[in-house]
Amino acid sequence: AVFGGSVSVIPASDSAKILWEKYLGMTIFNYGVPGAGFSSLQGISLQQQVDKAAVHDIYILWASTNDYTNQRKVGLYTDYTELDGYDKEKLITQAGGINYCIKKIYAINPHALIYFFTSSKAFMNRGGYDPFYPEGMNKYVEMQKEVCALHGIPVLDQFIFADDVVLLGVIF
């Protein structure tokens, strides 16, 4: 199952899905929706996508640039976890949305494998591509990786390492 924004559904991402099907024997279910982000304020959020998900063996949370471009709060890695009592007010943050998705996926299938693809670069302003820009997308990507580290979820960093990536065993 794939969840995300437009990057998860555009034709360019189909090349990865075709290879997963061909070489790994997978059947792909794409729940992604253009404009989506992890924040509950962002379009048809990944939270809403995961709420509609069926039982699958592998779930891919494919982060978009939408939380950054729409200036949603990044939050803290503890947002919507047992560490804050699953505070529903934190679902508006990117971190809270990611934690919600992970918790919900494990409720659907406790034995699921979850993989996380970070946001990629966006070239609408310097913050979208410069990893050293203080209030840029890198801040969002670093939080994505912190939340995944909390849960032990493997991460493909598409923001920093965009060349020659390996997606579920297939080299691009």
Side-chain angles (χ1 to χ4, degrees), residues 148-171:
C148 289
L150 177 67
H151 298 282
I153 293 174
V155 174
L156 170 64
D157 188 338
Q158 299 183 113
F159 188 74
I160 299 297
F161 303 109
D163 297 327
D164 298 325
V165 296
V166 177
L167 302 179
L168 300 179
V170 179
I171 298 174

Short mmCIF file of all heavy atoms in Angstrom, two decimals, residues 148-171:
data_model
loop_
_atom_site.label_atom_id
_atom_site.label_comp_id
_atom_site.label_asym_id
_atom_site.label_seq_id
_atom_site.Cartn_x
_atom_site.Cartn_y
_atom_site.Cartn_z
N CYS A 148 10.60 8.35 12.41
CA CYS A 148 10.87 6.99 11.97
C CYS A 148 11.88 6.30 12.87
O CYS A 148 11.75 5.10 13.17
CB CYS A 148 11.33 6.97 10.51
SG CYS A 148 9.99 7.38 9.37
N ALA A 149 12.88 7.02 13.35
CA ALA A 149 13.87 6.45 14.27
C ALA A 149 13.18 6.01 15.56
O ALA A 149 13.51 4.95 16.12
CB ALA A 149 14.97 7.47 14.56
N LEU A 150 12.21 6.79 16.03
CA LEU A 150 11.46 6.42 17.24
C LEU A 150 10.80 5.06 17.08
O LEU A 150 10.76 4.27 18.02
CB LEU A 150 10.40 7.50 17.54
CG LEU A 150 9.48 7.24 18.72
CD1 LEU A 150 10.26 7.26 20.04
CD2 LEU A 150 8.36 8.28 18.75
N HIS A 151 10.31 4.77 15.89
CA HIS A 151 9.56 3.54 15.63
C HIS A 151 10.40 2.44 14.97
O HIS A 151 9.88 1.36 14.70
CB HIS A 151 8.35 3.84 14.74
CG HIS A 151 7.38 4.79 15.37
ND1 HIS A 151 6.49 4.41 16.35
CD2 HIS A 151 7.17 6.12 15.17
CE1 HIS A 151 5.76 5.46 16.71
NE2 HIS A 151 6.17 6.51 16.01
N GLY A 152 11.65 2.73 14.65
CA GLY A 152 12.50 1.74 13.98
C GLY A 152 12.09 1.46 12.55
O GLY A 152 12.19 0.34 12.07
N ILE A 153 11.62 2.50 11.86
CA ILE A 153 11.14 2.35 10.48
C ILE A 153 12.24 2.78 9.51
O ILE A 153 12.80 3.87 9.65
CB ILE A 153 9.86 3.17 10.27
CG1 ILE A 153 8.75 2.55 11.10
CG2 ILE A 153 9.49 3.26 8.80
CD1 ILE A 153 7.48 3.33 11.11
N PRO A 154 12.56 1.93 8.52
CA PRO A 154 13.59 2.29 7.53
C PRO A 154 13.16 3.49 6.69
O PRO A 154 11.99 3.63 6.34
CB PRO A 154 13.71 1.05 6.64
CG PRO A 154 12.95 -0.02 7.32
CD PRO A 154 12.01 0.61 8.29
N VAL A 155 14.14 4.33 6.38
CA VAL A 155 13.89 5.59 5.67
C VAL A 155 14.72 5.66 4.40
O VAL A 155 15.91 5.36 4.42
CB VAL A 155 14.24 6.80 6.57
CG1 VAL A 155 14.12 8.10 5.81
CG2 VAL A 155 13.38 6.81 7.82
N LEU A 156 14.08 6.06 3.31
CA LEU A 156 14.78 6.42 2.09
C LEU A 156 14.78 7.95 2.05
O LEU A 156 13.73 8.57 1.91
CB LEU A 156 14.07 5.88 0.85
CG LEU A 156 14.58 6.39 -0.49
CD1 LEU A 156 16.03 5.96 -0.70
CD2 LEU A 156 13.70 5.94 -1.62
N ASP A 157 15.95 8.54 2.23
CA ASP A 157 16.08 10.00 2.25
C ASP A 157 16.17 10.51 0.83
O ASP A 157 17.24 10.50 0.22
CB ASP A 157 17.30 10.41 3.06
CG ASP A 157 17.38 11.90 3.28
OD1 ASP A 157 16.76 12.68 2.51
OD2 ASP A 157 18.07 12.32 4.23
N GLN A 158 15.06 10.96 0.28
CA GLN A 158 15.01 11.47 -1.08
C GLN A 158 15.44 12.93 -1.17
O GLN A 158 15.65 13.45 -2.26
CB GLN A 158 13.60 11.35 -1.65
CG GLN A 158 13.11 9.92 -1.72
CD GLN A 158 11.74 9.85 -2.35
OE1 GLN A 158 11.59 9.30 -3.43
NE2 GLN A 158 10.74 10.39 -1.69
N PHE A 159 15.55 13.60 -0.03
CA PHE A 159 15.95 15.01 -0.03
C PHE A 159 17.46 15.15 -0.19
O PHE A 159 17.93 15.96 -0.98
CB PHE A 159 15.48 15.69 1.25
CG PHE A 159 15.69 17.18 1.25
CD1 PHE A 159 14.88 18.00 0.51
CD2 PHE A 159 16.71 17.75 2.00
CE1 PHE A 159 15.07 19.38 0.49
CE2 PHE A 159 16.91 19.13 2.00
CZ PHE A 159 16.09 19.95 1.25
N ILE A 160 18.21 14.36 0.53
CA ILE A 160 19.67 14.44 0.48
C ILE A 160 20.25 13.47 -0.54
O ILE A 160 21.13 13.81 -1.31
CB ILE A 160 20.29 14.17 1.87
CG1 ILE A 160 19.82 15.21 2.88
CG2 ILE A 160 21.82 14.14 1.80
CD1 ILE A 160 20.22 16.64 2.58
N PHE A 161 19.76 12.24 -0.54
CA PHE A 161 20.31 11.19 -1.39
C PHE A 161 19.34 10.83 -2.50
O PHE A 161 18.68 9.81 -2.44
CB PHE A 161 20.65 9.95 -0.56
CG PHE A 161 21.59 10.23 0.56
CD1 PHE A 161 21.16 10.22 1.87
CD2 PHE A 161 22.92 10.53 0.30
CE1 PHE A 161 22.04 10.50 2.91
CE2 PHE A 161 23.80 10.80 1.32
CZ PHE A 161 23.36 10.79 2.65
N ALA A 162 19.27 11.66 -3.51
CA ALA A 162 18.29 11.44 -4.57
C ALA A 162 18.85 10.65 -5.76
O ALA A 162 18.11 10.25 -6.62
CB ALA A 162 17.75 12.77 -5.07
N ASP A 163 20.15 10.41 -5.81
CA ASP A 163 20.75 9.71 -6.94
C ASP A 163 20.97 8.25 -6.61
O ASP A 163 21.32 7.88 -5.49
CB ASP A 163 22.10 10.33 -7.31
CG ASP A 163 21.96 11.77 -7.78
OD1 ASP A 163 20.93 12.09 -8.39
OD2 ASP A 163 22.86 12.57 -7.51
N ASP A 164 20.79 7.39 -7.60
CA ASP A 164 21.07 5.95 -7.47
C ASP A 164 20.49 5.36 -6.19
O ASP A 164 21.20 4.81 -5.35
CB ASP A 164 22.59 5.68 -7.51
CG ASP A 164 23.19 6.10 -8.83
OD1 ASP A 164 22.49 5.97 -9.86
OD2 ASP A 164 24.33 6.57 -8.82
N VAL A 165 19.18 5.46 -6.04
CA VAL A 165 18.54 4.95 -4.84
C VAL A 165 18.08 3.51 -5.03
O VAL A 165 17.88 3.06 -6.16
CB VAL A 165 17.34 5.83 -4.42
CG1 VAL A 165 17.81 7.22 -4.05
CG2 VAL A 165 16.29 5.88 -5.50
N VAL A 166 17.93 2.83 -3.94
CA VAL A 166 17.42 1.48 -3.96
C VAL A 166 16.05 1.50 -3.29
O VAL A 166 15.93 1.89 -2.14
CB VAL A 166 18.37 0.51 -3.20
CG1 VAL A 166 17.77 -0.89 -3.17
CG2 VAL A 166 19.73 0.51 -3.83
N LEU A 167 15.02 1.13 -4.03
CA LEU A 167 13.67 1.09 -3.50
C LEU A 167 13.21 -0.35 -3.42
O LEU A 167 12.94 -0.98 -4.43
CB LEU A 167 12.70 1.89 -4.39
CG LEU A 167 13.01 3.36 -4.61
CD1 LEU A 167 11.97 3.98 -5.53
CD2 LEU A 167 13.06 4.09 -3.30
N LEU A 168 13.17 -0.87 -2.22
CA LEU A 168 12.74 -2.25 -1.99
C LEU A 168 13.51 -3.21 -2.87
O LEU A 168 12.96 -4.09 -3.52
CB LEU A 168 11.23 -2.40 -2.19
CG LEU A 168 10.35 -1.54 -1.28
CD1 LEU A 168 8.89 -1.77 -1.58
CD2 LEU A 168 10.64 -1.79 0.19
N GLY A 169 14.83 -3.06 -2.90
CA GLY A 169 15.68 -4.00 -3.59
C GLY A 169 15.94 -3.71 -5.05
O GLY A 169 16.66 -4.44 -5.71
N VAL A 170 15.36 -2.66 -5.62
CA VAL A 170 15.54 -2.36 -7.03
C VAL A 170 16.36 -1.08 -7.16
O VAL A 170 16.02 -0.06 -6.58
CB VAL A 170 14.18 -2.20 -7.75
CG1 VAL A 170 14.38 -1.86 -9.21
CG2 VAL A 170 13.34 -3.45 -7.58
N ILE A 171 17.46 -1.13 -7.90
CA ILE A 171 18.32 0.03 -8.08
C ILE A 171 17.81 0.87 -9.24
O ILE A 171 17.51 0.36 -10.32
CB ILE A 171 19.77 -0.39 -8.35
CG1 ILE A 171 20.32 -1.17 -7.15
CG2 ILE A 171 20.66 0.83 -8.64
CD1 ILE A 171 21.70 -1.76 -7.38
#
